Amino acid sequence: MTTTTIEAKKTHSPEHLKRRLLIKKYLDHKYFFIMLCPVFAYYVVFHYAPIYGVIIAFKDYKIAKGISGSPWVGLDNFKELFTGLYFLPVLKNTLIINFYKLLFGFPAPILLAILINEVRLPIFKKTVQTITYLPYFLSWIVLSGIIIEFLSPSRGPINIILSMLGMKPIFFMASADWFRSILVSTEIWKTVGFNAIIYLAAIAGINQEMYDAADVDGVSRIKKIWYITLPSLTPVIVILLILTSGQIINDDFDQVYNMLNSKVSSVGEVIGTYTYSEGIQKMNYSYAAAVGLFKNVIALIVVLTANFLAKRFSDETIF
């Protein structure tokens, strides 16, 4: 068999034809890929290029010397991380607060989406949707001011009601017993409406014939939710749970920073505010970079573990 014959067979092989078809599809849609260039540039410039700066976690970084000129210290910053007096309590606070947010905050939009879907009056449904997702578009600077005023011991409506009932006012924002609950509840209040949109879209895609068949059989609305709506939402729930699980180590810096005060720092200081304090205010950049790198590695491990468990016990995974 000559070389020409072998090359001709390779040219007409199924793999070669598939490759040619794939290249042709890319060329046919080349303008769409050109439109993606700004997106690629954004991620390269703001997400991948800064990865080089991670090496300062292994250096004694000095601004005057720059990243390349600063001396290497190896794992000294990480040793200080785990032997110091402040990081472990901060890590504990972060895990506790984010666990409560995941425990109570993750099911909240699912429940809200189901309740909105069960409303039969379109005007009321749209009104509820608008009211619930409106707080998402307000910054934590605005919301924290509203919350602080709302919970004020002297002029807040809750404490005014308590005073009218003969009870002593409670300084909620300076109470270590209340602060974590305030963080969790306000986070849910801000995000529940917006997150419910995803589940409402998934519910809209459920085959209506299944509900019609259930109506013919006389199935109650509760059973339709349990046996039709929730099983149909399972793929979306699993994927979002995997993505949300990585947030167990990440915190909402804007929320905590705008609400935190010295009275509740023992239960409210989280990794984000601690990194800001060490890296920006105290200019301890290498130590702050070590804290951030540790946080991101743990978040990656949590996501990979959640994806592995989802792949083992169900068919819905990210990768």
Side-chain angles (χ1 to χ4, degrees):
M1 187 177 292
T2 62
T3 306
T4 306
T5 307
I6 295 173
E7 292 296 330
K9 286 189 174 182
K10 287 183 178 180
T11 304
H12 296 287
S13 64
E15 293 78 8
H16 184 77
L17 292 174
K18 287 181 180 179
R19 196 178 303 113
R20 289 181 61 184
L21 288 173
L22 184 62
I23 293 173
K24 186 177 182 301
K25 285 183 179 180
Y26 278 115
L27 292 176
D28 291 340
H29 298 87
K30 56 182 177 295
Y31 295 109
F32 291 103
F33 289 99
I34 293 174
M35 291 173 64
L36 283 174
C37 287
V39 179
F40 290 135
Y42 165 77
Y43 278 97
V44 169
V45 173
F46 294 103
H47 290 268
Y48 290 100
I51 291 178
Y52 169 73
V54 170
I55 64 174
I56 70 173
F58 305 93
K59 289 189 168 191
D60 182 14
Y61 177 69
K62 304 295 182 184
I63 296 179
K65 296 181 179 179
I67 296 177
S68 58
S70 299
W72 286 92
V73 294
L75 299 176
D76 288 353
N77 291 316
F78 293 93
K79 292 178 182 177
E80 182 182 354
L81 196 70
F82 295 108
T83 57
L85 298 175
Y86 302 105
F87 178 71
L88 292 181
V90 168
L91 177 61
K92 177 184 175 183
N93 291 338
T94 305
L95 293 175
I96 291 175
I97 292 171
N98 289 333
F99 175 76
Y100 286 146
K101 286 183 178 180
L102 182 63
L103 180 64
F104 298 105
F106 185 78
I110 302 173
L111 179 61
L112 178 62
I114 293 173
L115 292 175
I116 292 176
N117 183 65
E118 291 299 314
V119 175
R120 293 293 176 258
L121 192 61
I123 296 177
F124 183 74
K125 181 185 293 189
K126 291 179 180 179
T127 303
V128 171
Q129 275 189 274
T130 303
I131 293 173
T132 53
Y133 74 63
L134 184 61
Y136 183 84
F137 298 98
L138 299 177
S139 69
W140 274 116
I141 297 176
V142 175
L143 290 180
S144 61
I146 295 173
I147 293 165
I148 291 171
E149 286 297 315
F150 189 80
L151 299 176
S152 171
S154 58
R155 54 187 177 273
I158 293 181
N159 278 307
I160 290 175
I161 294 173
L162 291 178
S163 300
M164 293 172 62
L165 296 174
M167 302 172 64
K168 292 182 178 180
I170 302 173
F171 199 166
F172 291 99
M173 299 303 296
S175 173
D177 296 330
W178 285 96
F179 189 71
R180 287 175 179 169
S181 300
I182 293 170
L183 291 178
V184 174
S185 57
T186 53
E187 172 76 15
I188 295 173
W189 169 61
K190 186 178 188 295
T191 60
V192 63
F194 187 82
N195 292 337
I197 295 175
I198 300 174
Y199 298 104
L200 284 169
I203 291 174
I206 299 175
N207 190 351
Q208 187 61 35
E209 293 180 357
M210 298 192 333
Y211 291 104
D212 295 337
D215 290 333
V216 172
D217 294 336
V219 177
S220 65
R221 296 176 72 174
I222 298 296
K223 288 186 177 180
K224 283 191 289 185
I225 293 172
W226 187 257
Y227 292 106
I228 298 177
T229 307
L230 284 176
S232 300
L233 289 177
T234 300
V236 178
I237 293 173
V238 172
I239 291 173
L240 289 179
L241 181 60
I242 294 172
L243 295 174
T244 308
S245 63
Q247 301 299 319
I248 194 70
I249 194 68
N250 291 323
D251 51 78
D252 195 329
F253 171 80
D254 292 340
Q255 179 197 22
V256 180
Y257 181 76
N258 284 288
M259 294 188 182
L260 191 66
N261 58 75
S262 59
K263 296 287 186 180
V264 294
S265 59
S266 60
V267 297
E269 185 86 41
V270 293
I271 292 178
T273 55
Y274 180 68
T275 305
Y276 172 79
S277 173
E278 291 292 328
I280 304 299
Q281 295 180 336
K282 298 180 181 179
M283 301 180 67
N284 193 356
Y285 301 112
S286 296
Y287 180 75
V291 175
L293 181 59
F294 168 79
K295 181 182 72 172
N296 292 330
V297 169
I298 296 300
L300 176 62
I301 293 173
V302 171
V303 170
L304 293 177
T305 303
N307 186 77
F308 171 77
L309 294 176
K311 188 175 183 179
R312 183 163 186 176
F313 295 106
S314 69
D315 296 330
E316 304 299 332
T317 58
I318 300 177
F319 44 84

